[in-house]
Amino acid sequence: MVAIKDMLQAGTAIRPDGRAVDELRPVSITRNFTDVPEGSVLICCGNTRVMCTATFTAGVPRWRKDSGLGWVTAEYSMLPRATAERTDRESIRGKVGGRTHEISRLIGRVLRGVVDMKALGENQIQIDCDVLQADGGTRTASITGAYVALVDALRWAQRKRLIRSADKVLKDAVSAVSVGIINGTPMLDLPYIEDSQAMTDMNVAMTGSGDFIEIQGTAEHRPFSRKELDELLALAEKGNKALQAAQRAALNA
Amino acid sequence: MVAIKDMLQAGTAIRPDGRAVDELRPVSITRNFTDVPEGSVLICCGNTRVMCTATFTAGVPRWRKDSGLGWVTAEYSMLPRATAERTDRESIRGKVGGRTHEISRLIGRVLRGVVDMKALGENQIQIDCDVLQADGGTRTASITGAYVALVDALRWAQRKRLIRSADKVLKDAVSAVSVGIINGTPMLDLPYIEDSQAMTDMNVAMTGSGDFIEIQGTAEHRPFSRKELDELLALAEKGNKALQAAQRAALNA
Amino acid sequence: MVAIKDMLQAGTAIRPDGRAVDELRPVSITRNFTDVPEGSVLICCGNTRVMCTATFTAGVPRWRKDSGLGWVTAEYSMLPRATAERTDRESIRGKVGGRTHEISRLIGRVLRGVVDMKALGENQIQIDCDVLQADGGTRTASITGAYVALVDALRWAQRKRLIRSADKVLKDAVSAVSVGIINGTPMLDLPYIEDSQAMTDMNVAMTGSGDFIEIQGTAEHRPFSRKELDELLALAEKGNKALQAAQRAALNA
Amino acid sequence: MVAIKDMLQAGTAIRPDGRAVDELRPVSITRNFTDVPEGSVLICCGNTRVMCTATFTAGVPRWRKDSGLGWVTAEYSMLPRATAERTDRESIRGKVGGRTHEISRLIGRVLRGVVDMKALGENQIQIDCDVLQADGGTRTASITGAYVALVDALRWAQRKRLIRSADKVLKDAVSAVSVGIINGTPMLDLPYIEDSQAMTDMNVAMTGSGDFIEIQGTAEHRPFSRKELDELLALAEKGNKALQAAQRAALNA
Amino acid sequence: MVAIKDMLQAGTAIRPDGRAVDELRPVSITRNFTDVPEGSVLICCGNTRVMCTATFTAGVPRWRKDSGLGWVTAEYSMLPRATAERTDRESIRGKVGGRTHEISRLIGRVLRGVVDMKALGENQIQIDCDVLQADGGTRTASITGAYVALVDALRWAQRKRLIRSADKVLKDAVSAVSVGIINGTPMLDLPYIEDSQAMTDMNVAMTGSGDFIEIQGTAEHRPFSRKELDELLALAEKGNKALQAAQRAALNA
Amino acid sequence: MVAIKDMLQAGTAIRPDGRAVDELRPVSITRNFTDVPEGSVLICCGNTRVMCTATFTAGVPRWRKDSGLGWVTAEYSMLPRATAERTDRESIRGKVGGRTHEISRLIGRVLRGVVDMKALGENQIQIDCDVLQADGGTRTASITGAYVALVDALRWAQRKRLIRSADKVLKDAVSAVSVGIINGTPMLDLPYIEDSQAMTDMNVAMTGSGDFIEIQGTAEHRPFSRKELDELLALAEKGNKALQAAQRAALNA
């Protein structure tokens, strides 16, 4: 496990948990959390805990056959008691909700953004992100953890000689973090209590080289100005750098 | 009907349809497209045509009761032959797909961003966006058209004395447009042929006063830099200004 | 567009909209309503408006393979605000209702009744009828409009040399109209206000040569006698003749 | 059990089972087939066997509350091995098929056609028709059997003083029979082997006084003329008279 | 039909229906209940009546292909008015309930326990058990009746030369019966009134040679001791012997 | 965490993992595995790991209202990569499978068997068992872990004064273990590799006082004799005693 809390310089602590506005929650990344999957990671960002597995399978879905290209897909789900109030299972309700669909698609898109499909060849990687405990930022924690599981699955495939080189498949690293504006102040990495009060909420996925893979900013309560956007993006960059340091530390452990 | 094509100054036309990179497709907004709904709009952005209706109902969903606040929600759907290849109906498949869910949620969020729920009172507005023909930008056309239908529904409610003032409910206007990077060049308002080749695709919803309600930028093929982001946002601002002029012209007609 | 109102001789006007008992509502048939489908028709019968598309695909469903025969199928649906009260989407409810199923099957059966499956060869035509606005008679308007879309799709296929001759595939024209008994008086082409009060409601699909493809008569409130049946059939014949004239006019335009 | 075969005068026997063209298959109606339901009937029409139950419940669905009126509804289903090839259960497939929906709605409509909803009061009768063995005419056998189950349920309700008088609720008797044109010859009561070859297939529900409740005639293979329609209706009248005699005999037994 | 009541020696009658604690309800087994299935049995155990059919099909499900082995599967269902209160159809609810699933799986497992899959070859037998009337013990009656239908289907397959020998496929006979503890007294073959009061409820499937295929004992209200278990198993053995005698009598008739 | 491996005396080790036939796999029980639920337990039985949460809610389902009695229910699920091959999510498939239903019902029944519903009062406890890794015995591990989560939830409710006494609600402890016959030898606590080869498989839930709550024994491959049953029950008793010692140790920690 790798704690990145210390890497962040303290700002002025004004938040419920005593953090500075530009400070991440403690993050830990545990590889090989379970034994069976090709990649299996438990990521904890504060009280948010997500189990991320990566399943490597030879072959691709039918629509992608004979293209010479691979595919990466993701599914996100919350256990019923990840939340303070128990949430009914989507399997029992018989359908997957809009929020779940949206997040699953997001995770898949972001990971595909750093994968060279030609180098992957006609192989598929299925990411599963199951939230064991939710305290805000579950989709960004999922992305950050899933990247590590993806790397492990590719290394496994290289050892099994199913791909030539994991490094060639990976075009870059990727992580994601949430930022938001609370009472007019932009802040980094919102737990549930802050997230539910945010005027603007933004999730930003960035590569190791500092480019964007995905920006999703939303203002239900109050539109945000160009100046606020710039501040949010600066916070997100800082947070993602720290998360990528934690990813590297975990992968080198 | 209001054509805004003329309002845009020509850039250098390098696109399949001869447009400049910063030029919108022709847009028309037809109010009262059908007779029954409180608001009913047909919006055409190039070959994309969306029927947007707004249904005003007294009362709110159970979870919102006795809050004194209103609610706005949206559903998006494509007719089977909106696309070149016929798409199976989601009713027949028995479930709503992830993309549909995602877009429905987006439209609802964006419209809620300009509605004062207290001024709306315990009333609900349901937006339905049905794509009759799809040629890229269906979600942004839906938002732009739905805003006009929303205004009509609020004016209807004011005439029926169900709300005090439509103007008080509306905090601002809102429209949305897509931008993207094709072969390294940022462009405004992508039709399907461009959208399918874009390295980066971004949808931007802005208010009349120039703030952001929603930014969704995604890079499946190549990450985008901060500089590219700035250029995309500038194009989006230009496009949204023109769309809002078209909305105003339609509403004053 | 072709208005057939004038073709009908006036009876004694006693109906809410001033029509004679044997008078059709104004009908218009617009071809090429959207650009993409092989056949795309907007039909308006009074305030009822249905968008009918015909999709031509090479090949047939598996159960029909290697039979040398083609297939025609249809799906009917109503947009949520086609009606005065908004109707929930069947995609959201997760299942197609009985009424929708029944009408879809009816439309398919009637069109198959005029198609020579051998001449069509192993090709499939999928009809989609989406009701934009409903004011009674949506299933009969769907049939009447779908026939025109079907002809356009067959002509398209002939031009593309996918079939030898559209004329050979079409054994006859077909249209449909509703008739009913209100307060003891048989009437032609019922709008919603009349339909909801009818003692007996009957839908009659006839060929251009005056034979029947489908008769569906139902008496929830009061059984109907043989004499009344004969009067209803006479009205239906008159209505269908006029509708077929409108179809011919549209197809020759 | 009541056999009505003898009541029919022989025509010229030209059919696979040796019947005359205007001859019903043997019919038997067994009341109290099971013990628990308010009405429980096994009807056999040739090899077609349907179990029809009627469930009487105090109270009506919500939309009918405080109307002073009752309601009658029906559900039809086939057991998996009612047919030569096993049919998958609709419960397993997770949705009710179009044909099932259509027939369920037909049965309900026809029975409502002979029920005085005011005399029934705010009570509901649910009809269940489960086909144990299918050999053509399952929907018409269902109607004919369900009427007897309905009468038994009403008599039960009268004994329990839940309604004042079963006779007042019943405006008339009702039965149904299929007719069709095979090789150009109109025939009565088609078994599966004939039904599958029919050019035209028609189901006719008639009251005891000889009026129509429902006519559903369909011509997938060849349209039918007015003259053929008249012949089919004459056959249907003859068949329904015989079926109603069998109903009376069973109810008086 | 074969009544086995007389075969059982009377104990001390203390039960609602006057039976001794170790006495079965009257059982009858009717073969060829319907004409079409390869095996079709109506079994009545007291007021419980189940229609059991066995469908023999050449070929096995995909996952079993090229194994040289056959497969046996089962589906259980209750008609809506099998019970005193009408139960909604699972097809209408759109999903199969947990109890139905559980019983279907039980029946399939038990029958597979006496089938030699190699001797069956790559053929499949589908068992359908539809409860026409339910008065306790529907799952055990289903097993007992389904065994007879299975034998008939195998004999049919032998006659059709689809298998070499029905006797070689059948490793043994099998039947099942329920036992339970009521007010501290172990009893055999519980009808609904007893079943609903039982402290412990157990279903026992045994082969003709007296071994167990399945034991399912459950104590919602009061745990059961080892001594009680022994008494229940003794009762179950007695009941199953009698049921197997009834099976033999029916199969030899 | 509490390891019980040492408590078991070694038999003759003949098993893949070197255990004696009457030896449990190492078991650990971690309380407060997550922070939010009223009870949250991670149980590991060998490589099988299940997260069990207990949710305490005031109030009972509608059908149980005003009875003065509480209710306990359970849901079981497997994460997609709990198994060697990834399993599709039931939420995506849109329905809960038969196996899942069966196990959920089993867990609920067993726990209800030790709960005094009157002492619980009109409160509900929902158990969720999510399998993080599956290596045989997931249903029995779920029961054993869920009991500890249940106790924690009751203790929480006592502290919150929602119930008077957790001890009064609990009539006894309960645990469950699997036993089976492999190559003719009865064995305790089967991992997947053994389970898949077992001739007979049995799950036994016992109370702390040594009585049975549930016995489910199944013989797909070879029936089992009375003598074998006795041996299996003896093994199960031994295993359950050890598991209950582990439960006590965890609850006293």
Side-chain angles (χ1 to χ4, degrees), chain F residues 31-80:
Chain F
R31 289 164 65 204
N32 302 316
F33 179 62
T34 51
D35 309 330
V36 186
E38 287 72 67
S40 174
V41 162
L42 178 72
I43 184 167
C44 304
C45 296
N47 288 322
T48 289
R49 304 186 207 167
V50 187
M51 176 174 164
C52 309
T53 63
T55 300
F56 187 102
T57 337
V60 283
R62 187 175 307 179
W63 57 270
R64 195 113 174 149
K65 282 242 166 88
D66 300 321
S67 64
L69 304 173
W71 189 239
V72 176
T73 185
E75 285 174 17
Y76 164 98
S77 183
M78 284 220 285
L79 294 199

Side-chain angles (χ1 to χ4, degrees), chain E residues 41-252:
Chain E
V41 163
L42 178 72
I43 184 166
C44 304
C45 295
N47 288 322
T48 289
R49 305 187 206 167
V50 187
M51 176 173 162
C52 308
T53 63
T55 300
F56 187 101
T57 337
V60 282
R62 187 175 307 179
W63 57 270
R64 194 115 173 146
K65 282 242 167 88
D66 300 321
S67 64
L69 304 172
W71 189 240
V72 175
T73 186
E75 284 175 17
Y76 165 98
S77 183
M78 284 220 285
L79 295 199
R81 272 316 291 278
T83 45
E85 304 265 307
R86 186 178 179 278
T87 314
D88 286 346
R89 289 173 194 270
E90 295 184 319
S91 58
I92 300 286
R93 283 196 305 229
K95 52 180 161 184
V96 173
R99 181 184 171 276
T100 297
H101 260 140
E102 194 173 304
I103 299 178
S104 296
R105 288 161 55 86
L106 168 66
I107 300 169
R109 267 201 317 270
V110 167
L111 293 178
R112 285 192 293 273
V114 294
V115 168
D116 183 324
M117 293 300 171
K118 205 156 202 169
L120 178 53
E122 291 205 9
N123 296 296
Q124 181 173 12
I125 296 175
Q126 286 165 285
I127 301 292
D128 285 288
C129 297
D130 286 273
V131 181
L132 304 187
Q133 189 160 282
D135 186 23
T138 59
R139 77 186 74 187
T140 49
S142 295
I143 289 169
T144 305
Y147 170 74
V148 178
L150 173 72
V151 175
D152 272 338
L154 289 171
R155 290 181 180 176
W156 175 91
Q158 183 180 332
R159 285 195 305 275
K160 296 278 177 192
R161 296 177 185 270
L162 297 166
I163 59 172
R164 202 164 312 169
S165 152
D167 285 350
K168 290 236 169 88
V169 175
L170 290 162
K171 299 193 291 186
D172 206 337
V174 69
S175 67
V177 76
S178 78
V179 288
I181 301 175
I182 295 158
N183 288 331
T185 306
M187 293 189 186
L188 176 64
D189 192 15
L190 315 186
Y192 177 73
I193 197 173
E194 293 178 352
D195 189 42
S196 58
Q197 302 167 33
M199 294 155 163
T200 289
D201 178 30
M202 181 173 290
N203 296 296
V204 181
M206 296 184 81
T207 62
S209 41
D211 287 334
F212 299 103
I213 296 276
E214 182 101 17
I215 298 178
Q216 287 198 344
T218 237
E220 281 219 16
H221 299 294
R222 208 207 60 191
F224 54 102
S225 66
R226 181 58 201 265
K227 185 171 160 294
E228 286 170 328
L229 172 61
D230 289 343
E231 289 175 36
L232 290 171
L233 292 174
L235 284 173
E237 189 178 354
K238 185 171 184 183
N240 274 314
K241 288 234 162 97
L243 289 165
Q244 288 161 11
Q247 289 175 329
R248 279 192 305 273
L251 283 164
N252 295 333

Side-chain angles (χ1 to χ4, degrees), chain A residues 102 105 214 217-218 226 230, chain B residues 102 105 214 218 226 230:
Chain A
E102 193 173 305
R105 287 161 55 86
E214 181 100 17
T218 237
R226 180 59 200 264
D230 290 343
Chain B
E102 194 172 305
R105 288 161 54 88
E214 182 101 16
T218 237
R226 180 57 200 264
D230 289 343

Side-chain angles (χ1 to χ4, degrees), chain A residues 36-65:
Chain A
V36 186
E38 287 73 66
S40 174
V41 162
L42 178 71
I43 184 166
C44 305
C45 295
N47 289 320
T48 289
R49 303 186 207 168
V50 188
M51 176 173 163
C52 309
T53 63
T55 299
F56 188 102
T57 337
V60 282
R62 187 174 308 180
W63 58 270
R64 194 112 173 150
K65 282 243 166 87

